[in-house]
Amino acid sequence: MIFSDTKNKFLEYLRVLKNSSEHTIRSYSIDLTSFEKHLQTLSCTTLSAIDRKLIRGFVVILVDQKINKRSIARRLSALRTFCKYALRKKLIAKNPMDDIEMPKLDRKIPSTLTYEQVKILFQTPDTSTLFGVRDRTMMELFYSSGLRISELAGMNRKDFDKERLLILVRGKGKKERQIPITQNAALWMANYLNHPERHLEMDGHYREVDPEAIFLNKHGTRITTRSIDRLFASYLKASGLSGDITPHTIRHSIATHWLENGMDLKTIQHILGHSSLATTTIYTHVSTKLKRKVYDEAHPRA
C-alpha cells in the first residue's frame, strides 16, 4: 500500500469518523508529510518499507536539523497513531512504532500574566470601533472562562446564555461543556453582538454574513484561529508588554489566578476541558513559582 494514499485516507478518517478539529487534522498532515518526505529521499513509497531502522533514521535527521524534543515527540506521536490506523485496516502486519521509544520531555511550566499585565493588554484595543469591541470581547472571554482559541472561534450565538451567564463550548474531540462567564464578559459580548456596525457595510468591513457566528472578520464571516493569533501579536506589540503572549497565555493565566484564589482543581479541570486531572495539576507548579517570586521580591534583604 502506498504511504501517501493511506495518509490521505487516515486524514479523511479523522475528519469524518473521529470528527477531529481542523487544527488537529492540519497538525497530523504536517507531521506525516514530514515523514513522507523522509521516505521519498530513500525512494520508499510503501507502508511495508517502514521499520524500526527507518524511523530511527528519521529521528536522527530531525536531531541533526536541531528540531526540539517536543516537536520530535509530536511527529512520532502522529506516526504512532497513523500506524495504529494502518494496523486496524490490516495494511501492515505489525506496528513499527512499538519498537520506538519516545523522547523524554522536561515538563514545561506555562508562562502567565499578572492581573496588572492582563489589564494593560485589555486596554489596548480601540473600543470606539467595531473591531476594537470584538477584540476586547475576545480577551474578556479568554480570561473569563479560559477558552482555547479554537473554542472561541467556533462559538455561535445560541451558545451564549446571557440570562444564566453561561456559554456552551465545543472542545477537543467536539466534546461539549457548559461553563460560566463573568458579568463583565457577558456585557462585552452583548455589546458586540448588538453593535449596529455588524449590519452595515462600511470602510474596512462588510456587513454580517454568518448570522450564527459570534466573532466575525472583516468579510462578515467567522474569524479564524490564525487571524486571532495575528491580532494578539499586534496587541502585544502595542501594549509594550514583553514576552510571547498568546491567547493560550491568558488561558494559563486565569487558571493560575483561579487556583490562587481558592478554586479547586476538579472545577478548574471541568472549566478548561481537560480530560485528565494530571494536566490541570501543572498550575499548582505555576502558582508555587509565582508565590515564590512575590515572596523573594517583597522580602527585606539584609
Side-chain angles (χ1 to χ4, degrees):
M1 190 69 181
I2 304 298
F3 180 88
S4 59
D5 293 341
T6 308
K7 181 191 75 172
N8 293 336
K9 290 179 181 178
F10 170 68
L11 296 175
E12 187 64 16
Y13 158 78
L14 293 178
R15 179 176 292 105
V16 176
L17 296 180
K18 295 292 288 183
N19 203 20
S20 299
S21 70
E22 287 302 318
H23 174 74
T24 297
I25 295 168
R26 184 168 58 252
S27 295
Y28 271 109
S29 178
I30 292 170
D31 293 334
L32 292 175
T33 298
S34 172
F35 182 71
E36 184 178 5
K37 289 178 179 177
H38 174 62
L39 294 181
Q40 291 168 351
T41 62
L42 301 174
S43 299
C44 297
T45 59
T46 62
L47 293 178
S48 58
I50 303 174
D51 58 15
R52 180 175 181 268
K53 182 179 178 181
L54 190 148
I55 297 171
R56 285 180 64 85
F58 175 57
V59 174
V60 168
I61 289 174
L62 295 178
V63 172
D64 288 344
Q65 293 174 346
K66 308 297 183 184
I67 305 297
N68 64 53
K69 283 185 179 180
R70 195 166 295 276
S71 295
I72 293 174
R74 193 195 66 224
R75 294 185 193 187
L76 291 177
S77 177
L79 187 58
R80 185 188 298 278
T81 305
F82 169 81
C83 288
K84 285 181 179 179
Y85 166 82
L87 186 64
R88 284 199 306 272
K89 294 294 183 180
K90 299 183 179 179
L91 302 176
I92 54 177
K94 180 179 182 296
N95 188 340
M97 282 299 298
D98 288 344
D99 301 322
I100 302 295
E101 289 187 8
M102 300 293 283
K104 293 181 180 178
L105 303 176
D106 297 327
R107 191 161 195 186
K108 185 178 179 182
I109 296 180
S111 59
T112 60
L113 298 173
T114 65
Y115 181 64
E116 290 303 316
Q117 289 174 318
V118 169
K119 288 198 295 185
I120 291 172
L121 183 64
F122 282 20
Q123 289 166 3
T124 311
D126 178 5
T127 54
S128 67
T129 68
L130 172 66
F131 289 143
V133 173
R134 177 199 65 187
D135 299 344
R136 175 64 184 269
T137 304
M138 290 195 294
M139 291 179 181
E140 291 285 347
L141 270 176
F142 279 129
Y143 191 71
S144 163
S145 306
L147 301 182
R148 299 180 179 96
I149 188 170
S150 58
E151 294 170 344
L152 182 134
M155 284 184 60
N156 294 319
R157 283 179 178 267
K158 64 181 180 181
D159 300 330
F160 173 41
D161 186 339
K162 64 181 179 181
E163 302 300 328
R164 297 193 295 159
L165 297 181
L166 295 171
I167 51 174
L168 181 67
V169 177
R170 294 165 190 81
K172 291 184 176 180
K174 305 300 182 183
K175 293 180 180 177
E176 294 185 350
R177 66 187 190 280
Q178 196 172 50
I179 56 177
I181 62 172
T182 62
Q183 179 75 52
N184 197 48
L187 288 173
W188 278 102
M189 184 97 87
N191 288 340
Y192 174 58
L193 289 174
N194 297 322
H195 200 291
E197 285 188 25
R198 283 183 72 110
H199 307 287
L200 298 175
E201 188 166 321
M202 302 178 64
D203 290 341
H205 70 83
Y206 293 92
R207 65 171 59 90
E208 179 183 283
V209 175
D210 186 344
E212 290 189 0
I214 289 181
F215 296 103
L216 307 175
N217 57 28
K218 65 181 181 181
H219 302 292
T221 57
R222 187 183 300 275
I223 197 169
T224 64
T225 56
R226 188 168 298 180
S227 292
I228 297 173
D229 266 330
R230 283 198 295 263
L231 284 168
F232 267 76
S234 66
Y235 283 126
L236 169 60
K237 185 176 181 180
S239 70
L241 295 171
S242 60
D244 183 20
I245 300 173
T246 67
H248 220 67
T249 307
I250 300 180
R251 175 175 163 88
H252 292 320
S253 300
I254 186 56
T256 305
H257 297 172
W258 283 335
L259 185 65
E260 291 178 336
N261 282 282
M263 188 181 290
D264 65 277
L265 279 173
K266 288 291 289 182
T267 301
I268 296 174
Q269 177 192 6
H270 169 72
I271 294 175
L272 295 181
H274 289 159
S275 57
S276 169
L277 187 61
T279 306
T280 315
T281 57
I282 187 66
Y283 297 111
T284 62
H285 301 289
V286 178
S287 179
T288 301
K289 181 181 176 184
L290 288 176
K291 287 176 180 176
R292 181 77 235 182
K293 182 181 178 183
V294 171
Y295 174 82
D296 288 342
E297 290 178 350
H299 200 280
R301 289 168 174 78

